[in-house]
Amino acid sequence: MTKKDQLTLWHEQLIAIIKDINTPHTLGGITNDANRAHDSRLARRALDNLIVLSEEINAKRQ
C-alpha cells in the first residue's frame, strides 16, 4: 500500500466517523429519550472508531 493509499483510507474512515455523529436529530435538535439514546450509541461508536484510527495513525508514524 502506498503512502497516498494509506492517507486516502484514513480520510475515508474519518469521513465515516463524522457521518456517524451527523444524524438528523443531532443536527436539528430534536430531543427525546429514544433519540438521546441513539445519539449516545452513535457518539460512543464514533469515539471508539476515532481512538482506533488515531492509534493506527500513531503506530504508522513511529
Side-chain angles (χ1 to χ4, degrees):
M1 178 179 292
T2 67
K3 186 174 183 177
K4 183 178 179 183
D5 292 339
Q6 183 64 63
L7 290 173
T8 299
L9 179 62
W10 288 336
H11 181 254
E12 290 169 359
Q13 289 174 317
L14 185 56
I15 289 171
I17 290 167
I18 291 167
K19 285 182 178 179
D20 259 356
I21 56 177
N22 283 338
T23 63
H25 38 86
T26 58
L27 296 174
I30 301 169
T31 56
N32 63 39
D33 289 342
N35 286 347
R36 279 193 290 276
H38 183 253
D39 288 349
S40 178
R41 286 190 302 275
L42 289 177
R44 179 61 195 196
R45 182 175 68 191
L47 180 59
D48 289 346
N49 289 338
L50 190 56
I51 290 168
V52 169
L53 180 59
S54 172
E55 289 174 349
E56 183 180 331
I57 291 169
N58 286 334
K60 287 281 188 177
R61 290 173 58 192
Q62 294 177 354

